[in-house]
Each structure stands twice: as C-alpha cells, then as structure tokens.
Amino acid sequence: MSTSITPDTQSLIQELLAAMQSGSASGTGQSTGTQNSQEEAKLAEVFQELMALLKQGNQEGSTNSGSDTASPAVSSASGSSASATPAAGSTSPTTPASSDASSPAAATSGTSSTSAGDGPNTTTITNTSNHDEKIGQFLNGGSTTQPTAEIDLKPGQTGTLKYENGQGGYDAEADSSGNFQSTASRLEFYADAKGVNNDDVSYIDGRNASIKVSDGNGKTAGDSQSIANDAPSNVITKDAGGRATVTGWYDGSTQDMKDGGAYMESKLGTGNAYIHPDDDRNATSSNPMTMAQDTSQHYTADFGDA
C-alpha cells in the first residue's frame, strides 16, 4: 500500500535535512559543546514530530474503506468468515447435498432384516423358499385380506413381526400377486395379558407354504418339507406365478378337501400341525398343541415351499 506525504511531513523532512547539514558543517569547525547540544535537541524534536505524523498517516490508511487489507471485524466469533454464510435461499457450495447412504431407510435395504407390528412378543421369520415372500400378520376379529402388519422377504432374508400381550391372530404368506388368500398356511399365535403364548401351525384351510416354528427352548411345531410336487392333481391349485397350494380339509364337505387332508396326513402326520379341526383332541403324541402355555415370547420360524 502506498502512503502519501502531507505538507507538514514534507516540512519536517526539510527541517531535518537542514539540521543534519548544519550539524555536518559545524562538525568541521571549532563548534562548542553548547552548540552541539542545541543541534542534537533540535534534531530529536524534529524526528519525534516526523514519526508522529507518519504514525497518524498509517492509522488513517488502515481505516480507509478502499484499503487492500481485510478488516478482522468481518470474522465471526467462531473464526469463520462472515462471507461464508450463504444468503437466504442460496446453497453454500461447501455444504454437501443430502445422500441416500446416510438415510436409515437406505441402510436397511438389500438383505437387511425388516420389522413390523408392535409389542413384546416377536416372531422372526426366514424365507427358506426359492421365491420372494410377503408375510402378513392378521389379528383376531380383523380383516382376513388386509394385514395389520407385513414384511417382504427375499429368499434367505429374515424379518420380524411383533404383537402385544392380549393379542392373537395368525401370520400367512400372500400369493405371487401379493394377495392374501383364505387357503393359506397359518402360523397361529395368542399371548395372554402376562405374555404367556399359545403358538401352533395350521394347514386346515390349505397349504401354500411349509411352516416350522421354534420357541428357542426346545419346543417346535410345523415342518420344513416340500410336498406339493407329489400331491394328486385334484388337490393342487396354482396361482398366476405357478406357486402351488394343497387343498385343505376345512370341513371335509368336498372330495378334494377329503383327499387333500388325507394326503397331508399321510406325509406329515398329525402331531406337528393342524390338518383337521379337531386334531387338538388327539392323544399327546399326535396333538399339534405342543407349544401351548409357552412362557417364551420370542419365536423363530421358517416359511418354505409348499
């Protein structure tokens, strides 16, 4: 930055030069000590006045709005420049755009587990079939086509359905179109007010999936067999995606129901799942209610091919 010389400064410089010249000239003669002292005092006075003027000029230059030197007043207390704050409606170039990678929803994509429903009782389900599965939870007294909670599982993927104490119902798999049919296999559950559960597997209405469930404490129900391929043609129906359902006994009012019930009983027996409505009247070895009055509140299940 250049500094202009004021008239006062120029006058002092001239006095200083004159005094220096006078001192130089007197130094060659026979000057007395008094004369030297006066000249030195005069030089000192002129020098101090000159320095004061130069200092004042520098201070005025530093507060000049046209100065090239940035003022520290533009910085915030945190040390960041005030110019780094974007104007309203603008986007700061230093702020990265939001990324899906930081989203919780994106973090749970791919093969991560899914969860639906509420409550302290849980059924963790693994898709052991070779196709995608939509598993819905249906509560007693509610819709049989619109689940209260549901999870979508790819082959090998695991998800969890939850329910409250005092709630009962069943879990079932949708057909290949995503619709829930009344002829589906059922994983039935009920938890009393204290969380004591009654779980069982039912194929009474039909079998569109094999279901096996465990309480983690040695009790199991259902099966993991695939039996549809060997079933008589009159007890097999297929949906739009070619997935098979074995006709259930239901009330035994048609020959297909009777044949379907007889076929499942021949393959699975009656001890692990309901095939007929009154199977819970059977003796202990062939009674499907092996998981009744279960103090466990956490179950694992597999939904596989029919």
Side-chain angles (χ1 to χ4, degrees), residues 186-189 198-202 213 221 272 274 288-289 291:
R186 296 185 176 193
L187 172 53
E188 298 178 329
F189 61 85
N198 291 268
D199 280 38
D200 63 74
V201 174
S202 175
V213 61
N272 292 321
Y274 273 97
M289 295 298 291
M291 299 181 74

Side-chain angles (χ1 to χ4, degrees), residues 20 33 36 78 87 99 159 163 195 212 214 230 262 274 283 305:
M20 291 175 65
N36 287 337
S78 63
S99 170
Y163 53 98
K212 185 172 185 179
S214 171
D230 297 329
Y274 273 97
D305 295 317

Side-chain angles (χ1 to χ4, degrees), residues 215-238:
D215 69 349
N217 295 318
K219 292 183 180 180
T220 62
D223 69 281
S224 56
Q225 301 180 58
S226 178
I227 64 173
N229 290 338
D230 297 329
S233 59
N234 68 304
V235 302
I236 290 293
T237 58
K238 293 186 177 182

